[in-house]
Amino acid sequence: MMVLAFSAYEEALRDGRLLGLRCAACNKVTIPPQAVCQWCASRDMKVEQLSGEGVLETFTIIRVPPEGFEEEAPYIVCLVSLKEGCRIIGRLDHDVERADQSLIGKKVRMKGAYTWKGDKFSAGSHSCPLFETVEG
Ligand SMILES: [Zn+2]
């Protein structure tokens, strides 16, 4: 049984909260929600609200979007290492023309959710975390 349904995870994102699953067996955090711990496969996990703070690990600028995302390009997909020791993929709210290598390693925080309307594969709209860089 899923401790945290994906729909509830996305609802929390739209509410500005980033939820993860803390494993009772290895104490690591799994995100996005899965039925088993991504580190040790234990099912003994509890929902925990995460800081939404971390470091920008890497990013890519999507200029040639997949079907259904044509209106959104160009946009930035990023990989963030969260303070809690796990990684999450999201969108980065940043000027695409000024996004370069110097962004990597910058502190970021979740500023909300990015919601897209979905396409023929996604059964409706979905949300992911939206990050922004933090000064200093
Ligand atoms: Zn675990």
Side-chain angles (χ1 to χ4, degrees):
M1 193 191 84
M2 287 282 277
V3 182
L4 175 63
F6 213 84
S7 56
Y9 165 76
E10 289 189 296
E11 201 177 302
L13 283 178
R14 291 191 290 272
D15 198 29
R17 294 174 300 128
L18 185 61
L19 301 181
L21 295 170
R22 175 78 67 181
C23 177
C26 74
N27 203 38
K28 292 181 176 176
V29 173
T30 289
I31 188 173
Q34 299 170 27
V36 298
C37 172
Q38 71 185 65
W39 306 94
C40 76
S42 168
R43 290 179 180 272
D44 192 3
M45 298 188 290
K46 283 197 170 62
V47 177
E48 179 177 306
Q49 184 168 336
L50 306 180
S51 63
E53 296 172 3
V55 168
L56 186 65
E57 196 78 26
T58 191
F59 67 92
T60 191
I61 300 171
I62 306 294
R63 295 183 190 278
V64 182
E67 188 180 338
F69 292 82
E70 291 86 350
E71 294 162 18
E72 302 180 23
Y75 57 89
I76 303 176
V77 174
C78 65
L79 179 68
V80 172
S81 283
L82 295 170
K83 268 165 76 174
E84 289 82 2
C86 47
R87 288 169 161 176
I88 184 79
I89 288 175
R91 289 284 186 101
L92 184 67
D93 184 16
H94 197 276
D95 180 355
V96 168
E97 301 312 320
R98 295 178 61 196
D100 61 24
Q101 207 71 9
S102 68
L103 283 175
I104 292 176
K106 291 253 194 239
K107 285 183 182 172
V108 292
R109 68 173 161 234
M110 187 176 118
K111 65 176 287 190
Y114 180 79
T115 301
W116 63 95
K117 65 181 193 297
D119 59 21
K120 65 184 180 184
F121 305 109
S122 65
S125 67
H126 284 285
S127 300
C128 69
L130 177 65
F131 291 94
E132 64 182 354
T133 55
V134 182
E135 295 304 315

